[in-house]
Amino acid sequence: MDLFSESSSNNSTPTTTTTTTTPPTATTTTAASATTPSRYENQKRRDWNTFCQYLRNHRPPLALQMCSGAHVLEFLRYLDQFGKTKVHNQTCPFFGLPNPPAPCPCPLRQAWGSLDALIGRLRAAYEENGGRAEGNPFGARAVRLYLREVRDFQAKARGVSYEKKRKRPKQKINTSSTTTHDHHQDSTT
């Protein structure tokens, strides 16, 4: 899921592409997949570019070295205007209902899961771009507390639990006396 649809227009230098025709082999396929960034890496790069653009557009413009947890919170609040998740106010009659029966004027906000994943990507990108782990503003206590507050409020407002799912312990199957029915038991529950 893309939080940002910004295209990078900073690269105004034209690029030249040379195409050579070689039969596909295991080595050319492996080399191509090694240089192609994953979806995660692409998203992380887009998120990083968006955050850097936000800092440049900030009044007054902010240098990355001067960025703090407070600026990250300001960025997260700014992103709320582009959210797609209905979060009911406490005064809304649908507060706490997971599937409201009618529309309401409550705001659309960024979902907690999207913000949490975004912060994880930006935290990694900060360090990959020369930032010190100790001074990473995306790992600041204020940011962690904000994410926890957003998670808890959205869980109440939307009637959705964000509790981690516990793994069920694996059942031991006695291989000497199992039947076909025993093997299908886990998939039906």
Side-chain angles (χ1 to χ4, degrees), residues 37-159:
S38 66
R39 284 183 62 196
Y40 171 80
E41 292 296 328
N42 283 331
Q43 185 66 54
K44 183 168 57 171
R45 180 183 43 79
R46 283 193 302 270
D47 293 342
W48 181 250
N49 289 340
T50 302
F51 181 72
C52 290
Q53 183 65 44
Y54 174 80
L55 292 180
R56 284 190 295 273
N57 292 339
H58 191 273
R59 293 292 167 238
L62 275 171
L64 187 59
Q65 300 80 5
M66 302 305 294
C67 183
S68 69
H71 297 110
V72 173
L73 293 179
E74 192 178 290
F75 176 65
L76 294 177
R77 290 185 185 108
Y78 159 78
L79 289 179
D80 261 344
Q81 67 183 312
F82 307 111
K84 297 175 185 168
T85 301
K86 178 75 74 169
V87 179
H88 300 289
N89 295 321
Q90 290 180 328
T91 57
C92 178
F94 305 134
F95 183 83
L97 295 179
N99 299 311
C104 68
C106 293
L108 294 174
R109 316 247 335 239
Q110 290 290 343
W112 165 76
S114 298
L115 293 176
D116 190 48
L118 170 68
I119 289 299
R121 289 189 301 268
L122 289 173
R123 190 173 183 174
Y126 179 83
E127 293 174 20
E128 289 172 10
N129 286 283
R132 291 185 353 263
E134 309 82 49
N136 193 331
F138 301 101
R141 184 171 189 270
V143 174
R144 292 194 315 269
L145 291 173
Y146 176 79
L147 287 175
R148 188 178 309 149
E149 288 172 13
V150 168
R151 182 193 65 195
D152 293 346
F153 183 77
Q154 288 187 7
K156 289 176 190 169
R158 299 176 60 219

